[in-house]
Amino acid sequence: MTPVDPLRNLGVRIGPHGGELRVYSEHADAMEFCLFDPKDPDWRTKTVEMHRDANNVWLGRSRSLQVGSLYAIRASGPASPQNMFNPETLLLDPYARGLTRVGPEEWRSTVVSDGFDWGDSRKPGTPLDHTVVYEAHVRGISRQNPEVPEELRGTYAGLAHESTIGYLQHLGITAVELLPVHAFTSEQRLIREGLTNYWGYNTLGFFSPHAPYATREAQAEGPEGVLREFKGMVKLLHEAGIEVILDVVYNHTSEEGIGGPRTSFRGLDNATYYRQDADGVYIDVTGVGNTVDFGHPVPQRLVLDSLRYWADEVQVDGFRFDLAVTLGRGEDLAYHRDHPLLTAMLADPVLSGVKLIAEPWDVGMGGWQTGNFADGWSEWNDRYRDRVRNFWLADIADARRNGQAPIGIGGFATRLAGSSNTFSPERGPLASINFVTAHDGFTMADLTAYNVKHNLGNGEDNRDGTDNNRSFNHGVEGPTHDESVLLDRHKAMRNLMGTLLLSAGVPMITAGDEYGRSQRGNNNAYCQDSELTWLSWLRTREQREMFDTTRRLLQLRRENPALRPSRFAVLGQTTPNASHMDWYDATGALMDDEDWNSPENRTLQYLAASTPDKEEFNRVLLIVHGVEDDVEVSLPVAPGVTSYQLLWDSATEVPIAEDGIELEPGAIRTVGGTSMQLYRANGPRVEAPAGTTAEAAS
């Protein structure tokens, strides 16, 4: 007989005889829930005493607890350094699936129905090797889109509007990764300064969608209407073949540090939910005042239940975990890749097939863990980000100052080929979420236009945000009319985007980078809800050309399986779904060790041949030239290759619309300074791989 789960059905469950509320608290000594008049949420209509069972679950029932009910919890308990009970404080149910705002910083938990007509909508189930992630903000993506009706702009419905979806389809992405949409609030400091938390990394409730992102009509209906609009967004995106990935923030909550708001966990069971020492001092590895204690099974269970709800009831396709290392810290505070919570996510049948993406760091001891999550996880690859920025930006700046770049091409080649020095053979290149930019940091355009951050508008005297941008302004800080500087910047953006979309791994584009959006040098725009952070739909000629470049690159990625292997190749073997890689120098000769590591060599030719089991054989040649002077390149004479056909050249402002010129092996080709060229290598498949692999690169 299967044992009864003692923590089953936490939160509210509605039956034929009313509702039942179940809340965990080990340290409370009394608990009750209060019901409120829906028209006057300050008027308490009923108070129900709750009783503790043997597993520290408090239970209360009432016929008055129904769909639409507003309720709050009150708990009392012992006074001690680790507890913060106050029986007068009205607290949110950690499992509330709806929240109703009743004051400036006050909410009521609200009961909602799970019913929704999904029709024939199904999760797209896009394989990782075909996945292209587009990191976007629900409000920012449609707030200025003139094709979206005004009342829908900046909402879930605006994201689901046919013009927004059509834009995403036309671009060629397969998944939107939404900045936090769990109910959140602004930090107390921002509120005092008249600012707001735009990004949303300050969670109030892990089961309720953020109400202000819904239309006014949906908000007027209450949490039921907000949830319905959210599900409708997911449904329409799925019908368009686009997956929905949520950026989720389980590592901390909006209750901040000691002295911050007491809205839920702190008043229900502070000792269980937050890491602290024996004196009640919070142990903070998140940098925001508190850290949820995942050494305890109850917070672990909360996260699993939340993920199951969003994956099942709301049908989302994946999750990106903010500061995911925090979720893997055990009772000893150290990170463990086999932590019970991380392992349970992979094993849970409800989460089977759901994409799990880790931000593989936090700010605690041992907090940098890139490459150290288990098979089944993908990770944001900051090593990739840094190496690509260095190669195309910081190294070029150094070369202008010193006459030569400080490093060669070997490390860049390793990142291009899937980061085999970071991820194990069992995990392969799809463990790497490749990115050059994200919401946090410079946009791609600003990487090419600013040497330093310009964050004065954030109200922190330019102290916030990283100083390690690895950017290059190409001679002028910020806006300029200098045509030569602008041409260099535009080409640098094409090189960055080209590298991102032609690398092995899963690419992530930050919304707006596809056309060159600027935040005027602000590299930490977390509190800027304005035109600074919203996508512009009125674009310059250069921005339209950049969009066309991105779209062309995504098309080439789809059409050429050699660019998106799911496994690492092994020299001398045929590995299904890998790409066998041969590396040549500018003369067409195979690279040697000196070529990889010498700063004098920043030109390579990368011949990748696919070994697919579901697609046609494919082979491509990518030429990378990381010096500002032009170079003559001899196209490789390789087994089976009969000709090369030009597909893309980053030196040109306007991408090649169709396959370009065809050249014979051994032909001499001029490659422009700091540029890339992609060719399709025509000819029959040759089984025996030759040459070197990217593992030779350092």
Side-chain angles (χ1 to χ4, degrees), residues 116-122 124 160 165 228-242 244 314-315:
F116 184 78
D117 182 8
W118 290 99
D120 295 329
S121 174
R122 297 290 183 271
I165 289 178
R228 189 184 313 114
E229 184 174 311
F230 191 97
K231 290 180 177 179
M233 173 193 70
V234 174
K235 178 180 179 179
L236 289 172
L237 286 165
H238 281 177
E239 289 174 352
I242 298 173
V244 179
V314 193
Q315 290 289 291

Side-chain angles (χ1 to χ4, degrees), residues 118-138:
W118 290 99
D120 295 329
S121 174
R122 297 290 183 271
K123 293 185 179 184
T126 307
L128 265 179
D129 63 316
H130 285 75
T131 295
V132 178
V133 179
Y134 185 80
E135 189 198 38
H137 191 285
V138 168

Side-chain angles (χ1 to χ4, degrees), residues 454-593:
H454 296 264
N455 296 357
L456 285 173
N458 296 350
E460 299 183 54
D461 296 324
N462 212 39
R463 294 188 303 270
D464 63 303
T466 183
D467 293 311
N468 187 21
N469 296 295
R470 304 169 191 262
S471 58
F472 178 37
N473 66 16
H474 291 86
V476 179
E477 185 74 359
T480 182
H481 296 293
D482 188 316
E483 280 298 320
S484 65
V485 171
L486 292 174
L487 288 172
D488 285 345
R489 289 177 178 179
H490 297 156
K491 184 170 61 172
M493 279 193 284
R494 293 193 296 274
N495 287 330
L496 293 168
M497 187 64 77
T499 302
L500 175 64
L501 298 183
L502 302 179
S503 293
V506 180
M508 184 186 80
I509 300 170
T510 303
D513 279 354
E514 72 272 17
Y515 67 86
R517 179 180 72 90
S518 173
Q519 289 181 169
R520 300 197 292 274
N522 191 321
N523 74 352
N524 189 36
Y526 72 102
C527 57
Q528 302 293 329
D529 185 2
S530 68
E531 292 182 1
L532 183 73
T533 50
W534 304 335
L535 266 63
S536 171
W537 295 81
L538 299 174
R539 298 174 185 172
T540 65
R541 173 182 58 82
E542 291 82 5
Q543 288 178 326
R544 292 193 298 271
E545 290 171 349
M546 183 63 193
F547 176 89
D548 291 341
T549 293
T550 306
R551 183 170 179 267
R552 173 63 172 162
L553 287 164
L554 285 169
Q555 176 191 357
L556 293 172
R557 184 178 183 86
R558 286 193 304 274
E559 293 176 350
N560 293 280
L563 294 170
R564 39 183 175 79
S566 58
R567 302 178 68 184
F568 292 127
V570 178
L571 187 63
Q573 299 180 15
T574 299
T575 306
N577 299 311
S579 288
H580 289 296
M581 302 166 187
D582 299 316
W583 303 86
Y584 301 87
D585 63 18
T587 70
L590 290 170
M591 299 270 283
D592 59 27
D593 289 343

Side-chain angles (χ1 to χ4, degrees), residues 626-640:
V627 177
E628 290 197 280
D629 296 325
D630 294 355
V631 67
E632 296 289 311
V633 168
S634 177
L635 300 183
V637 177

Side-chain angles (χ1 to χ4, degrees), residues 9 17 67 87 139 152 162 184 232 337 356 429 454 480 496 630:
N9 296 334
H17 304 295
V67 170
R139 180 167 167 79
L152 304 184
E162 60 185 4
F184 66 87
R337 64 180 291 168
L356 301 177
H454 296 264
T480 182
L496 293 168
D630 294 355

